[in-house]
Amino acid sequence: MAKRTGEKHGVILEAAVRSFARTGYHRTRVADIAREAGVADGTVYIYFESKEDILVSLFQSLMNNFVKGLLSALAQCPDADEKLKTVIRYHLTTLSARPDQAKVTQIELRQIDQSINQGISKPLKSYFQLIEEVIEEGKKQGLYRRGLDTKTARKVVFGAVDEVVTCWVMSSKPYDLTALSEPVYELLAKGLR
Amino acid sequence: MAKRTGEKHGVILEAAVRSFARTGYHRTRVADIAREAGVADGTVYIYFESKEDILVSLFQSLMNNFVKGLLSALAQCPDADEKLKTVIRYHLTTLSARPDQAKVTQIELRQIDQSINQGISKPLKSYFQLIEEVIEEGKKQGLYRRGLDTKTARKVVFGAVDEVVTCWVMSSKPYDLTALSEPVYELLAKGLR
Amino acid sequence: MAKRTGEKHGVILEAAVRSFARTGYHRTRVADIAREAGVADGTVYIYFESKEDILVSLFQSLMNNFVKGLLSALAQCPDADEKLKTVIRYHLTTLSARPDQAKVTQIELRQIDQSINQGISKPLKSYFQLIEEVIEEGKKQGLYRRGLDTKTARKVVFGAVDEVVTCWVMSSKPYDLTALSEPVYELLAKGLR
Amino acid sequence: MAKRTGEKHGVILEAAVRSFARTGYHRTRVADIAREAGVADGTVYIYFESKEDILVSLFQSLMNNFVKGLLSALAQCPDADEKLKTVIRYHLTTLSARPDQAKVTQIELRQIDQSINQGISKPLKSYFQLIEEVIEEGKKQGLYRRGLDTKTARKVVFGAVDEVVTCWVMSSKPYDLTALSEPVYELLAKGLR
DNA sequence: GATGAATGAGAGTTCATTCAT
DNA sequence: AATGAATGAACTCTCATTCAT
């Protein structure tokens, strides 16, 4: 009976989100997903080519829904600035509402293991702190506005620079990364004022 | 953290950077690192507790150097805004000069596998494009300045929001993510004008 | 042995010959045979008890036809020697005419895998060559007739001895294999002269 | 310590002979061989590339010894006919003395499974019987000598023809199989007289 | 009789880690 | 300190077989 085909596809995908969020991608066995979905191990392979395929399908499905929802939210916006505000609000609201999915997309899809995660956090913190100190100093010096939330500003600054580097590393064509310093600074510094 | 006495500690770490950058963390075997370092498999375990420990030590070492260098660069700066500019320039310049290390910190430390990577890139691109369209539209509507590089702006916007979500997911104390929409928007929108 | 009513029994058997000859018994999936036969996977199990049963039924069917045809060919023969000649000619002619069936009975029914096959052929060749050298030498020494085809003679000699060993190994009652050396030699040596 | 390298190679090979002879190649797990050899599962893969490689190495090793021993036995022989007799006797004596090895080379290396074996034996028997009847008839008709052992003669005849077919099937270059009827008949018929 | 989606046991292979030398 | 042979736990994926429809 083919009419219900696809039902299990979704069931397995949902089971995978829960499993990955709970145990992490690498420590989740296909058998775990199967049990969570209430199907046999082999059934997973009727709907997905491999464990990897589950993760990728999962992400694609999440992104599809995300972009679809975002587009309809943007439809209401009168101008681009309103749209930008909507994009940010939608992004934060949506992931806020689905912590399991957020954990998969932000952590499992990127980080290797919890213990590695911890080992990385600590040395990273000193860099975070350094950035925060710069921002605080800027506030004291009257260069940046008082109302600024330092922690949030730090996340924005680090996230922005980090993404710029990531894109550069992943790019197939080489280009001058250093040359982006000025424009990135312009974008971020203005926001802080 | 093991002994620092022998120079082999450093030799292995350098071999690990090259190996991880070439093959990726998961596909790199401890034996590969050992061969690359010119030592026996077992020797690796005299200096590191585990394969994971190598990666973490590597990152800690890189970050230590990074922060140390950044601090001395900041020493010259007259005010906070100059410091911010320096942070950004230093970050981009440093990673730009060490592509191997950049690959490890940006990709291997986060991503799971090349094929997963590719499966993830495509659906992400549609979101990227959407953000870029908003920025372009803003430029046309005169809301954002003409001189803005759309791609860079998109990286800044996405990277900032993404980092905000990541911090929220990793946080041990729960807090309201949605409430950050407004301040994040303020920071980013200003930068675009 | 299942029902013979439906024509599907034969259809599946024919599909199996083709599949086995093409891919080999082990690498052929029951689903492959079903597709080749144009029936559903489950249908195969209405007519056959197992994958193994298909192979055995196949062989039985082939042997049945073979013996039936051989018997009618023998009916014409005036004496035993003529019959022997007929047996040999019939055997070679029949299999020559049905390469697919020949491949199944000679290879798939016996060999394990193509790569194993190759690994076995090489070391066997040195033995073959040794036998051929003996025969050639015999021809030069005038012990064996000049007209003898060395390759064919080698096949006859090796095939004969090999079959004698195989029967001994498969026999349920133990008997003295070495004692057969003399009679086997008598049979083969005479043929070479 | 490398001086003992190779020792385990042989230990595993010997364990494999016993295991294959007992359970058959396909039903023998690599873990079984490892246990039988008194080593860990992984150790097997230090010395052999795969399970298949064990079987092939085994056969190559057996054949090497076989041919080496045969060569020294042939060294004594005054002429080719004596050599032929020696080949046959050596072949039968050697395998007779090593039933485990004989079982591997004659059965496991060729047959698929015990139950398949049985399913094949029965229909084959009617062909065997037919050949034996022809030989018996020949003896009664005075065409073949009285002293002939019918069973042995049958094995020689069938083994010879079967080998001729097998070589034809495995040959990469096609040739006329039927044309071999006459020479094969000549070889076999003379032996029977 | 026919279907084909679902099952789930089963095993080869890898590789981080250990430890006798 | 250094070695590297040996370990053995871990896990994905296959596919013959079943059975509800």
Side-chain angles (χ1 to χ4, degrees):
Chain A
M1 204 152 303
K3 66 182 173 188
R4 287 193 172 253
T5 289
E7 186 196 27
K8 290 212 167 152
H9 184 93
V11 170
I12 292 168
L13 232 37
E14 283 162 30
V17 183
R18 289 193 299 275
S19 301
F20 290 159
R22 194 190 309 131
T23 340
Y25 175 76
H26 271 109
R27 270 185 304 194
T28 297
R29 277 160 284 159
V30 173
D32 295 334
I33 300 174
R35 195 186 309 117
E36 178 87 24
V39 300
D41 293 17
T43 306
V44 172
Y45 287 87
I46 297 174
Y47 294 94
F48 299 92
E49 298 201 340
S50 63
K51 184 184 172 186
E52 207 174 280
D53 186 34
I54 300 175
L55 186 63
V56 171
S57 298
L58 187 55
F59 186 70
Q60 288 175 338
S61 160
L62 295 180
M63 280 309 292
N64 263 351
N65 290 337
F66 182 89
V67 170
K68 205 178 294 174
L70 177 53
L71 278 172
S72 78
L74 289 179
Q76 330 284 338
C77 300
D79 65 26
D81 202 52
E82 201 58 41
K83 280 182 180 170
L84 178 68
K85 186 186 281 184
T86 301
V87 165
I88 294 167
R89 197 192 318 115
Y90 182 84
H91 190 141
L92 297 181
T93 310
T94 303
L95 290 185
S96 175
R98 294 180 183 76
D100 263 10
Q101 295 186 5
K103 197 168 179 208
V104 171
T105 55
Q106 305 302 119
I107 311 290
E108 294 318 325
L109 221 49
R110 310 183 185 196
Q111 306 285 352
I112 292 177
D113 232 339
Q114 204 152 17
S115 49
I116 291 185
N117 230 338
Q118 291 169 348
I120 284 164
S121 306
K122 223 173 50 183
L124 207 48
K125 259 180 198 153
S126 63
Y127 184 33
F128 286 170
Q129 202 179 339
L130 198 154
I131 300 176
E132 289 178 24
E133 280 165 12
V134 170
I135 295 170
E136 286 284 347
E137 190 182 328
K139 281 161 76 173
K140 273 182 200 139
Q141 293 174 346
L143 297 169
Y144 304 143
R145 68 191 130 93
R146 298 265 144 172
L148 204 61
D149 180 47
T150 305
K151 270 223 157 65
T152 302
R154 180 264 295 168
K155 293 171 194 171
V156 166
V157 169
F158 174 79
V161 179
D162 190 61
E163 172 73 8
V164 166
V165 177
T166 298
C167 288
W168 175 76
V169 171
M170 309 236 313
S171 169
S172 47
K173 307 168 212 156
Y175 57 84
D176 186 3
L177 178 60
T178 311
L180 294 181
S181 304
E182 193 66 28
V184 170
Y185 163 74
E186 282 299 329
L187 277 158
L188 292 173
K190 267 189 175 173
L192 299 175
R193 279 167 206 146
Chain B
M1 203 152 310
K3 310 100 188 169
R4 302 258 165 192
T5 37
E7 30 146 20
K8 298 210 169 160
H9 183 93
V11 171
I12 292 167
L13 232 36
E14 281 161 32
V17 184
R18 289 193 299 276
S19 301
F20 291 159
R22 193 189 311 130
T23 340
Y25 175 77
H26 270 108
R27 272 183 306 192
T28 297
R29 280 158 284 168
V30 173
D32 293 335
I33 300 173
R35 194 185 313 114
E36 178 88 23
V39 300
D41 294 15
T43 306
V44 173
Y45 286 86
I46 296 171
Y47 295 94
F48 298 93
E49 297 196 344
S50 65
K51 184 183 174 187
E52 212 174 274
D53 185 36
I54 300 175
L55 186 63
V56 170
S57 299
L58 187 54
F59 186 71
Q60 288 174 340
S61 159
L62 296 180
M63 278 310 291
N64 263 350
N65 290 338
F66 182 88
V67 170
K68 206 178 293 175
L70 178 52
L71 277 172
S72 77
L74 289 179
Q76 330 284 336
C77 300
D79 65 27
D81 203 49
E82 201 59 41
K83 281 182 180 169
L84 178 67
K85 188 187 279 184
T86 301
V87 166
I88 294 167
R89 197 191 319 113
Y90 181 85
H91 190 141
L92 297 182
T93 308
T94 304
L95 291 185
S96 176
R98 293 178 181 78
D100 262 12
Q101 296 184 5
K103 199 169 177 210
V104 171
T105 56
Q106 305 302 119
I107 310 288
E108 296 317 326
L109 218 52
R110 313 185 183 194
Q111 305 286 352
I112 294 179
D113 229 342
Q114 203 156 19
S115 51
I116 292 185
N117 229 337
Q118 292 171 345
I120 284 164
S121 305
K122 221 172 55 179
L124 207 50
K125 258 178 198 158
S126 63
Y127 184 34
F128 286 169
Q129 201 179 339
L130 198 153
I131 299 176
E132 290 178 23
E133 279 164 11
V134 169
I135 295 170
E136 287 284 344
E137 190 182 328
K139 282 162 74 175
K140 272 182 199 139
Q141 292 174 346
L143 297 170
Y144 304 143
R145 65 191 132 92
R146 298 264 144 173
L148 204 61
D149 180 46
T150 305
K151 269 225 157 65
T152 302
R154 179 265 293 168
K155 293 170 194 172
V156 166
V157 170
F158 174 80
V161 180
D162 191 60
E163 173 72 9
V164 167
V165 177
T166 298
C167 288
W168 175 76
V169 171
M170 310 233 314
S171 168
S172 45
K173 307 169 212 156
Y175 57 84
D176 186 3
L177 178 62
T178 312
L180 295 180
S181 304
E182 194 64 27
V184 170
Y185 161 74
E186 283 298 330
L187 278 158
L188 293 172
K190 268 186 175 172
L192 301 174
R193 283 172 202 142
Chain C
M1 206 155 305
K3 308 102 188 170
R4 301 257 165 190
T5 37
E7 28 146 21
K8 297 207 169 161
H9 182 93
V11 170
I12 292 167
L13 231 37
E14 281 161 32
V17 184
R18 289 194 297 276
S19 301
F20 290 159
R22 193 190 309 131
T23 342
Y25 175 76
H26 270 109
R27 270 183 304 191
T28 297
R29 281 158 284 170
V30 173
D32 294 334
I33 301 173
R35 195 186 309 116
E36 178 88 23
V39 299
D41 294 16
T43 307
V44 172
Y45 286 87
I46 297 171
Y47 294 95
F48 299 92
E49 296 196 344
S50 64
K51 185 184 173 186
E52 211 175 273
D53 185 34
I54 300 176
L55 186 63
V56 170
S57 298
L58 187 54
F59 186 70
Q60 288 174 338
S61 160
L62 296 180
M63 278 311 290
N64 263 351
N65 290 338
F66 182 87
V67 171
K68 208 179 290 174
L70 178 53
L71 278 173
S72 78
L74 289 180
Q76 331 283 337
C77 299
D79 64 26
D81 203 51
E82 202 57 40
K83 281 182 179 169
L84 178 67
K85 187 187 281 184
T86 302
V87 166
I88 294 167
R89 196 191 319 113
Y90 181 85
H91 190 140
L92 296 181
T93 310
T94 304
L95 290 184
S96 177
R98 295 178 180 78
D100 261 13
Q101 295 184 5
K103 199 170 177 208
V104 171
T105 55
Q106 306 301 120
I107 311 290
E108 295 318 325
L109 219 52
R110 312 182 185 197
Q111 305 285 353
I112 293 177
D113 231 342
Q114 204 155 18
S115 50
I116 291 185
N117 230 337
Q118 291 172 345
I120 284 164
S121 305
K122 223 173 51 181
L124 207 47
K125 260 180 197 155
S126 63
Y127 184 33
F128 286 169
Q129 202 178 337
L130 198 153
I131 299 176
E132 290 178 23
E133 280 164 11
V134 169
I135 295 169
E136 287 283 347
E137 189 183 330
K139 282 161 74 174
K140 274 181 200 142
Q141 293 173 344
L143 297 170
Y144 304 144
R145 65 191 133 91
R146 298 263 141 174
L148 204 63
D149 180 47
T150 304
K151 270 225 158 67
T152 303
R154 180 265 292 167
K155 292 170 194 169
V156 166
V157 169
F158 174 80
V161 180
D162 190 59
E163 172 74 9
V164 166
V165 177
T166 299
C167 288
W168 175 76
V169 170
M170 309 233 315
S171 169
S172 46
K173 306 168 212 156
Y175 57 86
D176 186 3
L177 178 61
T178 311
L180 295 180
S181 303
E182 194 65 27
V184 170
Y185 162 73
E186 282 300 328
L187 278 158
L188 293 172
K190 268 187 175 172
L192 301 174
R193 283 174 201 140
Chain D
M1 204 150 302
K3 64 180 172 186
R4 288 193 173 253
T5 289
E7 185 197 29
K8 290 211 167 153
H9 184 93
V11 170
I12 293 167
L13 231 36
E14 282 161 31
V17 184
R18 289 194 297 276
S19 300
F20 290 159
R22 193 188 310 130
T23 342
Y25 175 77
H26 271 109
R27 271 184 305 194
T28 297
R29 277 160 284 161
V30 173
D32 295 334
I33 300 173
R35 196 185 309 118
E36 177 87 24
V39 300
D41 293 17
T43 307
V44 172
Y45 287 87
I46 298 174
Y47 295 95
F48 298 93
E49 298 202 337
S50 63
K51 185 184 173 186
E52 206 176 280
D53 186 35
I54 300 174
L55 185 62
V56 170
S57 299
L58 188 53
F59 185 70
Q60 289 176 338
S61 160
L62 295 181
M63 278 311 290
N64 263 352
N65 290 338
F66 182 88
V67 170
K68 205 178 293 174
L70 178 53
L71 278 172
S72 77
L74 289 179
Q76 330 285 336
C77 299
D79 66 26
D81 203 51
E82 203 57 42
K83 281 182 179 167
L84 178 68
K85 187 187 280 184
T86 301
V87 166
I88 293 167
R89 196 189 321 112
Y90 181 85
H91 190 140
L92 297 181
T93 309
T94 303
L95 291 185
S96 176
R98 295 180 181 77
D100 263 11
Q101 295 184 6
K103 197 167 178 209
V104 171
T105 55
Q106 305 302 120
I107 311 290
E108 293 319 325
L109 221 51
R110 311 184 185 196
Q111 307 285 351
I112 293 176
D113 232 337
Q114 202 155 20
S115 50
I116 291 185
N117 232 337
Q118 291 171 344
I120 284 163
S121 307
K122 223 172 49 182
L124 208 48
K125 259 180 197 154
S126 62
Y127 183 35
F128 286 170
Q129 202 177 340
L130 197 153
I131 299 177
E132 289 178 22
E133 280 164 12
V134 169
I135 295 169
E136 286 284 347
E137 190 183 328
K139 281 161 76 174
K140 272 181 199 143
Q141 293 174 345
L143 297 169
Y144 303 144
R145 66 190 132 92
R146 297 265 143 172
L148 205 62
D149 180 46
T150 305
K151 271 222 156 69
T152 303
R154 180 266 294 169
K155 292 170 194 171
V156 166
V157 170
F158 175 79
V161 180
D162 190 61
E163 173 73 9
V164 166
V165 177
T166 299
C167 289
W168 176 75
V169 171
M170 311 236 311
S171 169
S172 46
K173 307 167 211 156
Y175 57 85
D176 186 2
L177 178 61
T178 311
L180 294 180
S181 305
E182 194 64 27
V184 171
Y185 162 74
E186 282 299 330
L187 278 158
L188 293 172
K190 267 189 177 172
L192 301 174
R193 283 174 201 139

